[in-house]
């Protein structure tokens, strides 16, 4: 989900070593999808050629703002057409640091018509401040959005899904809805394929939460989207799934998987169907459609006493009737997760930076509680490390062109057995969220990208294997795509972290400073052999993912996903990137008082009572987190 600071607590989620990249693995060209340093264009203008702009698009054209949690989708009718999205924070601030409207994050729409060589940046219509002719087509009740997911049908339509929460009236209510938007060929169903998915046709809520503050009540999150492109009886069906969290229960948050489908190209959707049944506390649903039109929803099942499960596991449900009904849950395998956690430090009196609008508000975690990210001030941790949240997730896909098998291809990023080490601090990576007595605090580990293939017809699966068993460092946030017998995967990778240790978070040195440490790697394999190529570094610049750009410039956040999409052997991936961030000092710390090297450019003055103003130069580069992408092996 887009980073909003009311969740606060546990999220979901040695030797110096530098590895040279062989010349044969030279990085592909990187392209920036989020052009908030030059121009954002209304989708109305993209589709019709008629000029339109507004204060939001003007701000987004110069904000040098934050974007994370990318999605990407290659048009199956024309691989020159690629559309990306992200949590786009370009509408949050005006140039002087005051809020633009309600100060909310929205879904980006980034379009390439030259195979990913360049992108035109836009926003999905319906944002606060949108008065274009397309704005009334957005039938959603919320002011912000996140967790973008994208999928094409075979007829020139693109679908975009989102979770969303904020109240357009500006109240503290969080609706917790999910919605799906439809884009169509701007020249009609038979128009040239270069215009596929260009014209916004509308959006609508497909699942509603409850109007409760601080994400209590029912809140929908962790979205997944797929479309049947098999040409069979279910062709064109749109499938959307998410995790519904029910807060304020005796056992804290409870989460289940819900599912809807559209049989009329996104004009209407079915009523939400709970498919996880008696399985509690799940996240990261993903949807695969096999060549016979069957629908598989995979997800991570957390260790939970209510589900009689003492281990984290990968599970799935299957529909053999075009998504109308589903089987009960099937558990595939268990694993030891990699979930970075720490202990919230004591609050420093007067140090709280305070919220600056919906996209920046947070709730201070209780001192001594388990948290999933660490920063400065009231968001600091006992260990003294600075790191963004993240946890083991499950991603899956299927080859819709394969009519002979019901294969589902799965990647996930758990701890690698045998790599556990004492951390020597309160930081740990092996933890079970819902079994407090099973916390393995003070234990670090390595994470790796594992792959297996599930045979949906029999329930059997191949032995999970590391895609790159030779790599050191941490491997995180995988995604996978397969089409026409060609498999493609990408992930975040810290093998070039000069301070790497399994006892510490990504990019953290023993002296608690942070360094550039994160790259994106990718590999491919044929479905016939499942033999993975050597991995290739995609990023041309190694990033520091621990810049404190959120929560009033006090804590890092990189989102919860990377994304890859392929058509045949052509593949394109997208990721969150920090190469453009301007580092700085935080005057509230007297400079870089904790010497974490994670502060970003900001401008503040001190008030007579010792407090500080909000940042008055958000466009100066301190928030310049971007989405980059490239073709992949």
């Amino acid at each position: 989900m887009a980073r909003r600071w009311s969740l606060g607590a546990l999220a979901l989620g040695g030797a110096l070593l530098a590895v040279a990249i062989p010349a044969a693995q030279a990085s592909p060209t990187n392209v920036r999808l989020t052009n908030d340093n030059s121009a954002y264009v209304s989708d109305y203008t993209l589709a019709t050629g008629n000029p339109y702009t507004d204060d939001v698009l003007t701000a987004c054209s110069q904000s040098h703002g934050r974007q994370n949690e990318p999605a990407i989708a290659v048009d199956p009718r024309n691989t020159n057409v690629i559309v990306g999205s992200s949590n786009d924070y370009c509408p949050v601030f005006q140039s002087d640091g005051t809020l633009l409207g309600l100060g909310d994050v929205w879904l980006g729409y980034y379009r390439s018509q030259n195979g990913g060589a360049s992108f035109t940046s836009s926003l999905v219509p319906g944002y606060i401040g949108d008065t274009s002719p397309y704005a009334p087509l957005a039938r959603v009740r919320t002011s912000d959005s996140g967790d973008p997911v994208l999928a094409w049908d075979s007829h020139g339509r693109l679908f975009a899904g989102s979770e969303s929460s904020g109240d357009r009236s500006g109240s503290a209510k969080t609706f917790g809805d999910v919605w799906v938007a439809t884009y169509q060929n701007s020249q009609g169903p038979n128009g040239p394929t270069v215009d596929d998915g260009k014209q916004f046709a509308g959006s609508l809520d497909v699942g509603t939460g409850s109007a409760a503050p601080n994400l209590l009540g029912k809140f929908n999150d962790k979205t997944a989207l797929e479309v049947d492109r098999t040409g069979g009886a279910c062709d064109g069906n749109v499938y959307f799934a998410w995790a519904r969290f029910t807060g304020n229960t005796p056992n804290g948050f409870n989460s289940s998987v819900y599912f809807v489908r559209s049989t009329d190209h996104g004009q209407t959707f079915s009523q939400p169907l709970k498919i996880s049944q008696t399985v509690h506390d799940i996240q990261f649903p993903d949807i695969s459609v096999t060549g016979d039109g069957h629908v598989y929803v995979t997800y991570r099942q957390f260790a939970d006493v209510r589900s009689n499960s003492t281990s984290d596991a990968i599970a799935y449900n299957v529909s053999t009737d075009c998504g109308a009904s589903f089987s009960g849950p099937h558990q595939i395998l268990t694993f030891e997760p990699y979930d970075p956690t720490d202990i919230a430090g004591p609050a420093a009196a007067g140090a709280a930076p305070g919220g600056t609008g919906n996209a920046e508000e947070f709730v201070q975690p209780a001192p001594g509680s388990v948290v999933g990210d660490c920063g400065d001030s009231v968001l600091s941790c006992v260990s003294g490390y600075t790191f963004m949240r993240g946890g083991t997730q499950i991603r899956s896909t299927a080859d819709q062109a394969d009519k002979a098998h019901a294969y589902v291809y799965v990647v996930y990023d758990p701890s690698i057995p045998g790599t556990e080490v004492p951390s020597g601090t309160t930081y740990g990576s092996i933890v079970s969220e819902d079994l407090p007595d099973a916390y393995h605090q003070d234990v670090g580990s390595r994470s790796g990208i594992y792959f297996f293939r599930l045979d949906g017809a029999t329930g059997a699966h191949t032995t999970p294997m590391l895609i790159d068993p030779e790599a050191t460092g941490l491997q995180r946030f995988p995604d996978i795509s397969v089409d026409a017998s060609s498999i493609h995967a990408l992930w975040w990778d810290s093998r070039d972290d000069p301070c790497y240790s399994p006892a510490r978070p990504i990019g953290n040195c023993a002296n608690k400073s942070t360094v550039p440490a994160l790259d994106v790697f990718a590999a491919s394999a044929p479905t016939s052999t499942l033999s993975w190529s050597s991995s290739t570094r995609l990023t041309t610049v190694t990033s520091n993912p621990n810049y404190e750009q959120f929560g009033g410039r006090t804590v890092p956040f990189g989102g919860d996903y990377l994304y890859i999409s392929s058509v045949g052997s052509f593949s394109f991936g997208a990721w969150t990137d920090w190469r453009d961030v301007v580092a700085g000092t935080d005057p509230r710390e007297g400079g870089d008082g904790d010497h974490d090297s994670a502060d970003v450019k900001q401008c503040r003055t001190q008030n007579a009572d010792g407090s500080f103003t909000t940042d008055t130069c958000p466009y100066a580069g301190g928030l310049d987190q971007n989405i980059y992408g490239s073709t992949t092996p």
Side-chain angles (χ1 to χ4, degrees), residues 352-404:
T356 55
N358 285 351
E360 290 293 289
E361 289 174 352
F362 63 90
V363 172
Q364 176 185 335
S369 62
V370 178
V371 295
D373 47 18
C374 300
D376 286 345
S377 183
V378 296
L379 298 177
S380 64
C381 295
V382 173
S383 70
Y385 294 133
T386 301
F387 62 91
M388 65 180 183
R389 80 180 188 202
T392 298
Q393 57 182 266
I394 316 302
R395 303 300 288 266
S396 63
T397 192
D399 186 352
Q400 297 197 32
D402 182 1
K403 310 301 181 182

Side-chain angles (χ1 to χ4, degrees), residues 114 126 135 148 157 234 252 294 299 388 399 434-435 459 486 564 605 622:
N114 55 13
R157 300 182 191 89
C234 313
H294 293 177
Y299 46 89
M388 65 180 183
D399 186 352
D434 293 303
L435 294 175
S486 183
I564 193 169
T605 57

Side-chain angles (χ1 to χ4, degrees), residues 320-346:
T320 59
D321 56 6
C322 304
S325 64
F326 278 84
S327 70
H330 300 277
Q331 188 178 106
I332 306 173
L333 55 84
T334 61
F335 60 87
E336 182 176 70
Y338 185 95
D339 295 339
T341 59
D342 212 315
I343 303 298

Side-chain angles (χ1 to χ4, degrees), residues 97-427:
T98 57
L99 294 178
L100 178 64
L102 294 177
D104 289 298
V105 57
W106 197 251
L107 289 196
Y109 174 94
Y110 320 124
R111 182 178 181 85
S112 175
Q113 295 182 179
N114 55 13
S118 63
F119 283 80
T120 299
S121 303
S122 185
L123 296 174
V124 175
Y127 51 87
I128 297 293
D130 181 10
T131 59
S132 75
Y134 287 173
L137 301 176
R139 301 184 297 277
V140 297
R141 63 173 182 165
T142 48
S143 61
D144 55 23
S145 58
D147 282 7
V149 283
L150 299 170
W152 292 90
D153 69 9
S154 298
H155 311 285
R157 300 182 191 89
L158 174 72
F159 300 90
S162 172
E163 58 83 18
S164 58
S165 62
D167 182 6
R168 286 179 177 255
S169 69
S171 78
K173 291 182 293 187
T174 50
F175 290 113
D177 296 347
V178 283
W179 52 264
V180 175
T182 302
Y183 285 80
Q184 61 194 14
N185 189 298
S186 57
Q187 302 300 314
N190 299 316
T193 58
V194 73
D195 292 322
D196 283 355
K198 181 182 286 188
Q199 182 181 38
F200 180 72
S203 57
L204 70 162
D205 289 327
V206 300
T208 56
S210 55
N214 298 326
L215 306 183
L216 298 177
K218 298 175 182 176
F219 184 84
N220 300 303
D221 194 15
K222 307 300 181 192
T223 55
L225 180 69
E226 185 56 288
V227 183
D228 187 306
R229 296 179 296 276
T230 63
C234 313
D235 187 76
N237 279 8
V238 184
Y239 303 121
F240 185 72
W242 67 91
R244 193 184 81 177
F245 295 81
T246 302
N248 205 23
T249 64
N251 294 307
F253 278 95
N254 178 35
S255 56
S256 304
V257 174
Y258 280 75
F259 180 93
V260 294
R261 67 169 183 164
S262 174
T263 59
D264 56 10
H265 312 300
Q267 295 183 60
T268 62
F269 281 82
S270 61
Q271 289 298 307
L273 173 67
K274 179 180 177 181
I275 67 172
S276 53
Q277 301 176 18
T278 58
V279 177
H280 302 282
D281 294 329
I282 56 83
Q283 285 194 47
F284 303 117
D286 208 358
I287 304 173
S288 304
V289 177
T290 50
D292 55 7
H294 293 177
V295 184
Y296 293 79
V297 180
T298 58
Y299 46 89
R300 173 179 172 179
Q301 176 183 334
F302 285 82
D304 181 85
V305 293
R306 290 166 289 176
S307 301
N308 296 315
S309 175
T310 58
S311 300
D312 290 77
I314 302 174
Y316 73 96
N317 299 65
V318 60
S319 172
T320 59
D321 56 6
C322 304
S325 64
F326 278 84
S327 70
H330 300 277
Q331 188 178 106
I332 306 173
L333 55 84
T334 61
F335 60 87
E336 182 176 70
Y338 185 95
D339 295 339
T341 59
D342 212 315
I343 303 298
T356 55
N358 285 351
E360 290 293 289
E361 289 174 352
F362 63 90
V363 172
Q364 176 185 335
S369 62
V370 178
V371 295
D373 47 18
C374 300
D376 286 345
S377 183
V378 296
L379 298 177
S380 64
C381 295
V382 173
S383 70
Y385 294 133
T386 301
F387 62 91
M388 65 180 183
R389 80 180 188 202
T392 298
Q393 57 182 266
I394 316 302
R395 303 300 288 266
S396 63
T397 192
D399 186 352
Q400 297 197 32
D402 182 1
K403 310 301 181 182
H405 309 97
Y407 289 154
V408 178
Y409 301 83
V410 183
V411 288
Y412 61 114
D413 54 343
S415 292
I416 300 174
T419 64
E420 301 87 350
V421 296
S423 71
T425 67
T426 51
Y427 169 79

Side-chain angles (χ1 to χ4, degrees), residues 535-582:
S535 58
T536 297
R537 179 187 177 192
L538 300 184
T539 42
T540 55
V541 178
T542 303
S543 280
N544 182 350
N546 298 314
Y547 278 123
E548 295 162 340
Q549 298 177 300
F550 292 81
R553 319 297 183 271
T554 63
V555 72
F557 176 61
D560 295 324
Y561 313 100
L562 305 187
Y563 226 97
I564 193 169
S565 178
S566 64
V567 173
S569 61
F570 177 80
S571 178
F572 197 91
W575 62 87
T576 306
D577 197 291
W578 293 266
R579 70 183 68 187
D580 301 307
V581 175
V582 177

